[in-house]
Amino acid sequence: MNKVYLIGGGATKIGEHWEKSLRDLFVEAALKAVDSAEISLKDIEAVYVGNMSSGELQGQEHLGSLMATWLGIPGVAAAKVEAACASGGVAFHQAYLAVASGLYDCVLVGGVEKMTDAIIYDVTAALIMADDYEYVAFTGASFVGLNAIVYRYYMEKFGVKQEDIALFAVHDHKYAVNNSYAQYQFAVSLERVLESPNVADPIKLFECAPVGDGSAALVLCSEDFAKKLGKDFLVQVAASTVATDTISLTNRRDLATLEATVKAANRAYRIAKISVEDIDVIEVHDAFTILGVLHLEDLGFAEKGQGWKLLKEGELEKNAKIPTNMSGGLKARGHPVGSTGVYQIFDIYLQLIGEAPNQVDSAEIGLAQSVGGVGGTVAINILRRVK
Amino acid sequence: MKPLKKVGIAGYGAYIPMYRIKDEEIARVWGRDVRRTPIQEKSVPGIDEDSLTFSVEAAQNAILRAKVSPQEIEAVYVGSESPPYAVKPTATVVAEALGITPRLIAIDMEFACRAGTTAMQSVMGLVASEMIKYGLAIGTDTAQGRPQDELEYTAASGAAAFILGPHNSENVALIEGSYSYVTDTPDFWRREGEFYPMHSFRFTGEPAYFHHIYHAAIGLMESLGLKNSDFDYVVFHQPNVKFPLKIAKLLGFSADKIKDGLLTGIIGNTYAAASMIGLAAVLDKAKPGERILMVSFGSGAGSDAFSIIVQDAIEEKRNLAPLVEDYIKRKKYVDYATYVRLRRKLRR
């Protein structure tokens, strides 16, 4: 496999972009990424578009050709990559493979999702498509409902209090304050989280990632291409892995473990030749507070049932043991589903080049975890600063 | 948008049906947190009432205050999104009931919650051009809220009527000018054959309600050379309590100036009548010389802004008909089951 470098990135602010369409958002992020990489659009040989619900919410598929057209570069190889909420992380994986294989020297990967123009019932219906329609979704289950089952199970099995899990939302909001891309740039108290309305018991409104619009894009290139540009590039993709698990919770060995995270992470650590202790900063896919806690455990930062302690004891803070979601995470940076995975990698990239809004001192290795469904797909991408 | 000839309000009248349902009761039925409802209670029409009968009630009050003969009224414009008939005018029945027929211009208007104020603008034009002497503009609705939907907690019923005529000292107020702001913004709609409207949730806020009201208000003030400190009262379309308070703040008006015309909390959102009942409530209290800003909002979307100066005749005329407060006090609570019957939510 050839070495793959990350040489630029850009993103739109996440929010309610009433005046911008799906393509407007993508093009805005893509042009920012191209500018930051200091390359020309003509250098791009392939485009990967991470998106989950354009067909359902905008009546638009074929995003590869659409975005290539609107970027003014028809002719490139292009495709939409869909893996539910992990679409962004998996699109990055495809872009990585495209360069690592040696076929392409310069590839653009972007994630885009536009959720706020649709009626909320349609958004809920689109999101549950991430689970098994015939066996689960048809019962009327919603994503919040499924995560509520996991939440209850976890609290019961490990004797953990909700307030110790809900703290994840407080943590995310605290860091989103400084992130100009974040949907919610304000802090919240634990009381406010716990007093917010029930969505699916025990999950409170303020424990859920919001609905939003946004796009993030990154430029990946080969070592040869990087050399030709004659610049020092800082960030290399140390590992990019994807793993799947049974699509629904019903077939899981343990409701409190996302096996796909465990598998993808262990494989990524082997490829990157690192151990958990080497990682300086992470972005985890906390669509609900409970998931944030599970991810810390499944990624190997804590024993099963102990993840909440890292949160409570301040180990996730900037410059603590494992700085987590310095962007504000899914809860406060936002979660335009198919683009979230790319936002996360962009956030890690900013950490490694020293330009992050909540910069961790001398961050060298960062990890982004992107989860589809209730863990049916997990993408792990590890970046390393090489200069 | 200032008329060539000055136009005044000769008389005004409101009507609110006597039944009320508490949001707490609606929340109880749907298992919602009773502390988190948008308003306190909303008006509900009686079994034999509709937007047409409301129009007649409100117009009768307006005629009493205007002290004009129905035969002097030459236009009836009815703005509503809930007419009893899909095809067959309401304005004709209203005119007939009030003794205004047959020599008149009569028309129904529809523009979601804005139709009543656009009816006022149209009548203003007829009066200012001297095509007619007196005209009646009505905003009336029995708003529909889908069961369990957010709108069910606010969709209410009521009407307000204004008789406009040439400027003179007999009028209760002078309309200084009006300004409209309209765009194609699909924030709320009901398709042909559907019983309940659809809305686009948060999209109904910033790009719809706030954007249009803001620009209509600013446009009016700029065109008349007025600033926010020139107004003693402000009345906005009021789909809930939060939105009008927020737009008042955005436009730099103190909470004190909005409170008398903000009734949603206790009568609900009366749609096409909402800002007009608010204006009626302010006229019930305002002193001669005081200036009122009224801005409506209708989904789809548009806003009409008016600057109105109260005249001396208000003191004598306001007590010729029931005040808005009288209708607010006259109330009888119903439970959800009765509400279902009154609102014909059970389809037979």
Side-chain angles (χ1 to χ4, degrees), chain A residues 86-128:
Chain A
S87 299
V90 177
F92 184 87
H93 180 66
Q94 298 305 320
Y96 165 79
L97 293 178
V99 176
S101 72
L103 186 61
Y104 301 121
D105 280 316
C106 182
V107 163
L108 174 82
V109 55
V112 63
E113 202 79 55
K114 181 152 181 66
M115 306 170 80
T116 64
D117 276 359
I119 300 295
I120 199 74
Y121 312 118
D122 293 341
V123 173
T124 306
L127 292 177
I128 196 62

Side-chain angles (χ1 to χ4, degrees), chain B residues 88-208:
Chain B
K88 191 175 101 64
T90 300
T92 49
V93 189
V94 173
E96 187 82 24
L98 295 168
I100 301 175
T101 49
R103 201 185 63 81
L104 83 157
I105 301 167
I107 190 75
D108 288 9
M109 300 179 101
E110 189 280 317
F111 195 133
C113 301
R114 169 178 176 255
T117 56
T118 307
M120 280 177 72
Q121 273 181 340
S122 306
V123 172
M124 260 178 89
L126 293 173
V127 172
S129 67
E130 296 182 347
M131 273 181 72
I132 63 169
K133 190 171 182 195
Y134 291 106
L136 174 62
I138 300 170
T140 180
D141 262 312
T142 51
Q144 300 286 346
R146 187 185 301 277
Q148 202 179 4
D149 187 83
E150 186 68 18
L151 291 187
E152 188 180 29
Y153 293 88
T154 53
S157 302
F162 287 81
I163 293 173
L164 308 187
H167 174 55
N168 61 44
S169 61
E170 298 296 302
N171 290 335
V172 298
L174 165 71
I175 304 178
E176 270 189 297
S178 177
Y179 186 95
S180 289
Y181 187 90
V182 175
T183 69
D184 171 20
T185 302
D187 60 315
F188 169 99
W189 62 93
R190 180 167 64 84
R191 281 194 182 267
E192 183 65 45
E194 285 180 1
F195 197 64
Y196 297 110
M198 294 283 290
H199 59 97
S200 51
F201 296 84
R202 288 177 54 83
F203 186 72
T204 59
E206 185 205 314

Side-chain angles (χ1 to χ4, degrees), chain B residues 38-296:
Chain B
I39 61 169
Q40 210 176 310
E41 59 197 48
K42 65 170 196 173
S43 59
V44 178
I47 197 73
D48 55 355
E49 290 187 304
D50 58 24
S51 59
L52 193 161
T53 67
F54 290 178
S55 296
V56 174
E57 299 270 7
Q60 278 175 335
N61 289 336
I63 290 170
L64 286 172
R65 287 196 177 103
K67 295 210 272 189
V68 296
S69 153
Q71 284 294 312
E72 288 181 85
I73 297 170
E74 297 168 286
V76 175
Y77 278 54
V78 181
S80 180
E81 59 137 65
S82 53
Y85 290 87
V87 178
K88 191 175 101 64
T90 300
T92 49
V93 189
V94 173
E96 187 82 24
L98 295 168
I100 301 175
T101 49
R103 201 185 63 81
L104 83 157
I105 301 167
I107 190 75
D108 288 9
M109 300 179 101
E110 189 280 317
F111 195 133
C113 301
R114 169 178 176 255
T117 56
T118 307
M120 280 177 72
Q121 273 181 340
S122 306
V123 172
M124 260 178 89
L126 293 173
V127 172
S129 67
E130 296 182 347
M131 273 181 72
I132 63 169
K133 190 171 182 195
Y134 291 106
L136 174 62
I138 300 170
T140 180
D141 262 312
T142 51
Q144 300 286 346
R146 187 185 301 277
Q148 202 179 4
D149 187 83
E150 186 68 18
L151 291 187
E152 188 180 29
Y153 293 88
T154 53
S157 302
F162 287 81
I163 293 173
L164 308 187
H167 174 55
N168 61 44
S169 61
E170 298 296 302
N171 290 335
V172 298
L174 165 71
I175 304 178
E176 270 189 297
S178 177
Y179 186 95
S180 289
Y181 187 90
V182 175
T183 69
D184 171 20
T185 302
D187 60 315
F188 169 99
W189 62 93
R190 180 167 64 84
R191 281 194 182 267
E192 183 65 45
E194 285 180 1
F195 197 64
Y196 297 110
M198 294 283 290
H199 59 97
S200 51
F201 296 84
R202 288 177 54 83
F203 186 72
T204 59
E206 185 205 314
Y209 180 89
F210 295 107
H211 178 83
H212 290 80
I213 292 189
Y214 184 85
H215 286 284
I218 295 288
L220 178 81
M221 287 193 268
E222 279 176 1
S223 70
L224 297 179
L226 296 170
K227 30 185 212 309
N228 52 15
S229 56
D230 293 324
F231 293 94
D232 303 291
Y233 293 93
V234 290
V235 180
F236 298 112
H237 176 57
Q238 34 203 276
N240 48 44
V241 177
K242 204 165 132 188
F243 277 24
L245 287 175
K246 190 174 165 189
I247 189 70
K249 204 171 167 189
L250 279 171
L251 286 164
F253 294 109
S254 66
D256 207 40
K257 289 184 181 178
I258 194 175
K259 67 177 188 346
D260 291 311
L262 179 51
L263 308 170
T264 321
I266 46 175
I267 65 168
N269 176 8
T270 53
Y271 283 51
S275 53
M276 293 166 74
I277 295 179
L279 174 61
V282 169
L283 289 173
D284 285 347
K285 289 187 178 157
K287 293 185 198 70
E290 289 186 318
R291 189 183 267 120
I292 305 163
L293 170 70
M294 171 176 72
V295 193
S296 65

